[in-house]
Amino acid sequence: MNDESAIATAAPATRITIEPEASDPRWFKRAVFYELPVRAFCDSNDDGVGDFPGLLARLDYLEWLGVDCIWLLPFNTSPMRDGGYDISDYYGVNPEYGTVDDVRRLVDEAHRHGMRVIMDLVVNHTSDQHPWFQQARSSPDNPYRDWYVWSDTKNRYTDARVIFVDTETSNWTWDEQAGRYYWHRFFSHQPDLNYDNPEVREEFKNVCRFWLDLGMDGFRLDAVPYLFEREGTNCENLSETHAYLADLRATIDREYQNRVLLAEANQWPEDVVDYFGTSENPECHMCFHFPLMPRMFMALRREQRYPITEILERTPSVPEDGQWGLFLRNHDELTLEMVTDDERDYMWGEYAQDPRMKLNLGIRRRLAPLLSNGRRQMELFYGLLLSLPGSPILYYGDEIGMGDNVYLGDRDGVRTPMQWSEDRNGGFSRADFAQLYMPPLMDPVYGYAACNVSAQRRNQSSLLHWLRRFVAVRKRWPVFGEGTFDALDAANPSVFAFLRTLHDHVVLCVNNLSRFAQPVELDLRRFNGVTPVEMLGHVHFPRIGELPYLLTMAPHGFYWFTLETIDR
């Protein structure tokens, strides 16, 4: 066993358990999330596929990094034609990953490490191999027939867009056995469930109860805008969908405590906020802010803050107990759905010069390759992720700058094995290379010999250590999770400055989006006599006076200041 494996798998002789505080209903507002696919993280039995015992052995690493909540990508029983998002049994676990008891052990142990666990719940559709669908297609009289959406013609719901434009030409697919078309918003092997059927609605409450009883802390609800269909609409964001989510939230709040629902709704901000619900009818606790992500990359290339500030300006406020989920990259493509056609062409031209990097309306690349492996750019982006209003979500491997493989199909290029060490298969598995569920990266820049956890833990100057330090700073100050946000107007368009405020605590964040050093003068007269203190090194900067406050920013540099009244 190498040094890193020993660090990751050996439990201390004595452990002080720091289980999550039970009576903390707003824990998710201050949490740092970590997204991972079980099959890609760590293989414990050398069959070439990651599993729950392997993940269990790596919990010390996640605790060391500062993770508060693990988000598990789908691990239910599945034919795996879409990375597990094609589920054939909601109550089962993919046998390659382990058992339900393994999931229970993981959740219990994560809690002992002071971390929570949420799971992906694919609510919109199933696999066509699910027994429900097999029953539904068998006969028009079968009780499960009405669990899916059928039609004698493809000329229904014609205003609904096709989402997977690279692979699907229609939202309807003919089924020979049923003698009818079935409706699907994603792949044709993923038939949509019929939420007009009360049995379907109740079944998903039961699915939630099963996993919450096991100890799960919540769900990331996949593809929630598409649950219902209505003629004459685009079949997205319908009132019926919101009514069901409010009912589901009420059920969970009534029967369980301090659980979280995170909505995956890739929509414009003014539509996404509806998924928080109202004070009378709350829906989801959290929603992803999808449109922000591509605009951060756009702002970096243009070296101007306006793509970011414009989308934040059109983002409505969220309920006091609601929170945005922010990420730089995740398991899907860098989505370009919520941009204009011109902006999409610009992004493709800047970040997807190789046609293999494009997928649907997005770019299938990881963070480090998107930023040309630039350390300053990655630090700047993580600085924004950790300081903007919302809870940050880290994608496994991005903390060490893992790369991608554009030669793999679909989105598999950003789902390759975690790179733990320079050992065989990157320390992910002892299996023969040919057995691995997917080849690890072996190129000279991003391959596991050059980029791995073990080496970066030994290097105090590594990206991993840098990120761990800034995660710790964020966790120390509740203002980042719960404070208000106010953008500052700076004459220099390359500088993005804003204030985060919680009660009487104010934090000033200043970010340089340019590859060149930049000066900036900020109007901080309201804080006359206050001293900015840099939050990592606790360095005192000159006191704020009546004149504009001058800062000089390094290329792609950023500052976090806490504004303090200091007697001299």
Side-chain angles (χ1 to χ4, degrees):
M1 180 181 290
N2 60 35
D3 292 343
E4 180 58 25
S5 297
I7 291 171
T9 60
T14 58
R15 173 181 293 284
I16 300 174
T17 59
I18 47 172
E19 295 191 27
E21 186 179 341
S23 57
D24 185 7
R26 300 171 68 176
W27 61 267
F28 56 89
K29 291 179 70 72
R30 298 179 300 278
V32 174
F33 290 75
Y34 188 94
E35 176 194 2
L36 65 91
V38 175
R39 71 170 178 165
F41 208 60
C42 184
D43 172 20
S44 71
N45 60 359
D46 301 335
D47 66 350
V49 180
D51 47 45
F52 280 104
L55 171 55
L56 191 66
R58 298 291 184 174
L59 289 181
D60 282 349
Y61 166 73
L62 297 179
E63 181 184 1
W64 173 86
L65 182 58
V67 172
D68 297 298
C69 183
I70 302 167
W71 159 22
L72 301 174
L73 292 178
F75 58 77
N76 297 111
T77 312
S78 164
M80 297 298 292
R81 295 184 63 188
D82 183 25
Y85 281 92
D86 49 330
I87 291 175
S88 57
D89 181 4
Y90 285 93
Y91 299 96
V93 174
N94 187 323
E96 292 184 310
Y97 303 163
T99 66
V100 171
D101 284 339
D102 287 330
V103 179
R104 181 182 288 109
R105 280 191 288 272
L106 171 72
V107 172
D108 290 345
E109 189 63 23
H111 289 170
R112 281 190 282 273
H113 279 70
M115 293 181 285
R116 290 177 165 88
V117 183
I118 66 172
M119 62 180 283
D120 239 304
L121 186 63
V122 184
V123 293
N124 178 71
H125 51 267
T126 71
S127 165
D128 60 6
Q129 301 304 305
H130 198 295
W132 299 342
F133 189 72
Q134 293 298 315
Q135 289 282 325
R137 73 201 309 189
S138 66
S139 166
D141 301 322
N142 190 284
Y144 284 98
R145 184 70 156 208
D146 196 40
W147 281 49
Y148 295 87
V149 182
W150 301 91
S151 175
D152 293 323
T153 174
K154 297 171 70 173
N155 297 321
R156 294 180 64 195
Y157 313 136
T158 54
D159 293 328
R161 64 193 171 107
V162 174
I163 297 172
F164 285 172
V165 293
D166 284 359
T167 54
E168 304 295 334
T169 58
S170 171
N171 289 321
W172 292 103
T173 290
W174 177 259
D175 184 78
E176 287 289 348
Q177 186 175 355
R180 302 188 79 192
Y181 292 97
Y182 61 85
W183 176 255
H184 57 89
R185 293 308 302 269
F186 297 97
F187 289 120
S188 58
H189 58 78
Q190 294 168 325
D192 276 26
L193 288 154
N194 177 20
Y195 273 84
D196 281 316
N197 185 337
E199 293 178 353
V200 172
R201 299 197 297 270
E202 189 60 32
E203 179 64 19
F204 270 88
K205 291 183 184 178
N206 291 333
V207 170
C208 290
R209 291 183 179 107
F210 178 84
W211 293 106
L212 293 174
D213 287 342
L214 184 139
M216 202 64 67
D217 295 289
F219 303 99
R220 181 258 196 190
L221 301 176
D222 182 65
V224 290
Y226 317 110
L227 301 188
F228 287 82
E229 302 79 30
R230 291 293 181 267
E231 205 65 67
T233 74
N234 65 0
C235 298
E236 300 178 21
N237 310 316
L238 300 183
S239 59
E240 293 86 349
T241 294
H242 291 292
Y244 176 67
L245 291 175
D247 183 38
L248 180 64
R249 167 73 179 270
T251 299
I252 292 175
D253 283 353
R254 183 171 59 251
E255 299 179 16
Y256 303 90
Q257 288 188 327
N258 304 331
R259 311 301 172 95
V260 66
L261 295 177
L262 169 56
E264 188 224 11
N266 188 359
Q267 307 284 321
W268 291 106
E270 50 268 35
D271 294 321
V272 176
V273 293
D274 291 341
Y275 289 90
F276 289 106
T278 64
S279 57
E280 296 79 17
N281 290 295
E283 296 178 30
C284 296
H285 306 77
M286 296 180 66
C287 296
F288 291 115
H289 200 317
F290 277 98
L292 175 61
M293 176 178 59
R295 284 166 177 81
M296 291 174 64
F297 290 91
M298 194 182 305
L300 184 74
R301 278 292 194 266
R302 292 179 174 175
E303 301 191 356
Q304 294 191 341
R305 67 177 181 268
Y306 301 120
I308 300 175
T309 55
E310 286 168 2
I311 199 66
L312 291 175
E313 285 171 2
R314 67 178 287 185
T315 300
S317 59
V318 304
E320 186 178 352
D321 62 349
Q323 181 73 309
W324 290 111
L326 305 181
F327 58 94
L328 301 175
R329 288 299 299 111
N330 66 6
H331 61 284
D332 285 331
E333 63 269 37
L334 193 164
T335 177
L336 301 177
E337 290 183 68
M338 299 301 141
V339 299
T340 66
D341 291 342
D342 288 342
E343 289 171 335
R344 186 178 302 116
D345 289 340
Y346 175 79
M347 288 288 287
W348 274 336
E350 291 291 326
Y351 290 104
Q353 294 89 350
D354 187 331
R356 282 177 292 245
M357 297 173 179
K358 299 180 183 179
L359 182 68
N360 298 315
L361 295 180
I363 303 170
R364 54 190 194 114
R365 302 181 71 190
R366 269 188 179 265
L367 177 67
L370 280 165
L371 300 180
S372 303
N373 208 30
R375 175 68 180 267
R376 283 183 177 272
Q377 293 96 310
M378 286 190 278
E379 290 181 0
L380 173 64
F381 268 43
Y382 275 122
L384 288 167
L385 177 72
L386 295 171
S387 60
L388 284 170
S391 294
I393 300 166
L394 309 176
Y395 186 50
Y396 86 101
D398 277 356
E399 73 270 23
I400 60 173
M402 264 180 65
D404 50 48
N405 184 351
V406 298
Y407 296 95
L408 295 175
D410 193 30
R411 290 156 289 187
D412 287 342
V414 300
R415 303 175 183 181
T416 54
M418 180 66 175
Q419 297 169 193
W420 293 104
S421 71
E422 64 279 6
D423 289 351
R424 173 179 178 176
N425 299 325
F428 163 73
S429 173
R430 300 292 299 173
D432 289 341
F433 179 83
Q435 287 181 269
L436 300 183
Y437 79 94
M438 203 177 294
L441 300 180
M442 293 180 287
D443 66 86
V445 176
Y446 300 106
Y448 61 78
C451 175
N452 63 71
V453 172
S454 178
Q456 293 202 20
R457 285 191 71 166
R458 291 196 295 267
N459 177 6
Q460 292 290 324
S461 299
S462 67
L463 176 65
L464 178 62
H465 271 284
W466 180 93
L467 180 58
R468 179 176 182 251
R469 288 191 288 270
F470 272 85
V471 166
V473 172
R474 185 191 192 279
K475 287 159 65 76
R476 194 177 305 135
W477 300 96
V479 64
F480 286 117
E482 301 190 69
T484 59
F485 169 86
D486 296 290
L488 296 178
D489 187 25
N492 188 336
S494 293
V495 177
F496 176 35
F498 55 87
L499 300 172
R500 301 297 311 277
T501 306
L502 182 63
H503 309 308
D504 58 351
H505 183 214
V506 181
V507 167
L508 169 66
C509 301
V510 190
N511 306 272
N512 178 16
L513 295 162
S514 172
R515 65 191 187 279
F516 303 113
Q518 296 288 339
V520 63
E521 292 183 334
L522 300 173
D523 183 357
L524 300 176
R525 285 175 294 177
R526 74 186 101 163
F527 302 110
N528 186 16
V530 171
T531 300
V533 180
E534 197 275 325
M535 298 178 75
L536 187 69
H538 306 289
V539 177
H540 291 208
F541 274 55
R543 184 180 295 189
I544 297 169
E546 291 288 343
L547 297 175
Y549 195 78
L550 174 64
L551 287 169
T552 302
M553 309 294 297
H556 293 136
F558 72 93
Y559 289 119
W560 290 354
F561 297 110
T562 177
L563 302 186
E564 300 181 6
T565 302
I566 298 175
D567 296 329
R568 294 188 178 179

